[in-house]
């Protein structure tokens, strides 16, 4: 558990520094780091119970929810939080290994790595879509309820 907390703190620092590199607004850097750290924490906990794809989905849902929340609180775009926070979850290693296996001529291994990378990327996309849809539905329902009054 100490390792998970330490890695989450490192993710906080890494995401905050990546936010500085992307020239995010100064008032949102702490929240960006918090979003990334929470996502990485959920990912590490999820890896103890599920496979990588499900753990990534749970972490992505956490990141997407916090991104939407902080974007509304601080009146900033959601992508300010998405980009740095999803950085640790992107399946760069799987894509690298797939390309390396393709170059090496080991097509079956390359297919396995590429399939895993596509599944992880898909779980990130599904989480963003689900949370965005829920927030859009909530906003529409709010407008409808206000127009009926």
């Amino acid at each position: 558990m100490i390792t998970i907390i330490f890695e989450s703190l490192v993710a906080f620092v890494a995401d905050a520094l990546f936010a500085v590199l992307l020239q995010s607004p100064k008032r949102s850097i702490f929240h960006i780091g918090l979003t990334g750290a929470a996502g990485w924490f959920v990912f590490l906990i999820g890896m103890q119970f599920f496979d990588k794809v499900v753990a990534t989905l749970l972490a992505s849902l956490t990141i997407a929810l916090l991104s939407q929340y902080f974007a509304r609180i601080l009146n900033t775009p959601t992508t300010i939080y998405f980009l740095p926070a999803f950085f640790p979850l992107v399946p760069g290693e799987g894509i690298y290994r797939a390309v390396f296996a393709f170059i090496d001529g080991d097509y079956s291994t390359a297919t396995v790595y590429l399939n895993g990378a596509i599944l992880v990327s898909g779980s990130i996309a599904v989480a963003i879509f689900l949370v965005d849809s829920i927030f859009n539905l909530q906003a529409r329902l709010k407008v409808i309820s206000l127009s009926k009054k």
Side-chain angles (χ1 to χ4, degrees):
M1 187 64 169
I2 299 295
T3 306
I4 292 174
I5 292 171
F6 177 73
E7 286 188 30
S8 297
L9 289 173
V10 170
F12 177 89
V13 172
D15 288 333
L17 291 176
F18 193 62
V20 170
L21 183 67
L22 292 175
Q23 298 179 354
S24 298
K26 290 180 183 178
R27 64 188 171 113
S28 63
I29 290 176
F30 174 78
H31 299 92
I32 293 168
L34 188 63
T35 302
W40 191 247
F41 181 81
V42 170
F43 175 76
L44 293 175
I45 296 294
M47 283 295 288
Q48 294 182 358
F49 300 103
F50 306 109
D51 66 338
K52 191 173 188 174
V53 176
V54 176
T56 303
L57 178 67
L58 294 174
S60 298
L61 286 169
T62 303
I63 291 170
L65 281 169
L66 286 174
S67 296
Q68 290 283 351
Y69 177 73
F70 288 140
R72 280 161 173 69
I73 295 284
L74 298 173
N75 200 22
T76 54
T78 325
T79 53
I80 288 176
Y81 305 95
F82 277 159
L83 291 178
F86 280 119
F87 190 70
L89 296 177
V90 173
E93 177 192 6
I95 294 171
Y96 170 79
R97 290 184 187 270
V99 170
F100 188 79
F102 272 124
I103 292 170
D104 219 19
D106 189 4
Y107 299 115
S108 61
T109 303
T111 304
V112 170
Y113 283 124
L114 190 59
N115 187 30
I118 290 171
L119 287 173
V120 168
S121 300
S123 68
I124 292 171
V126 165
I128 293 171
F129 174 75
L130 284 175
V131 171
D132 194 42
S133 297
I134 289 169
F135 274 85
N136 282 339
L137 181 64
Q138 180 217 6
R140 286 184 183 180
L141 291 176
K142 187 176 180 180
V143 167
I144 290 171
S145 68
L146 290 175
S147 67
K148 287 185 179 181
K149 290 183 179 181

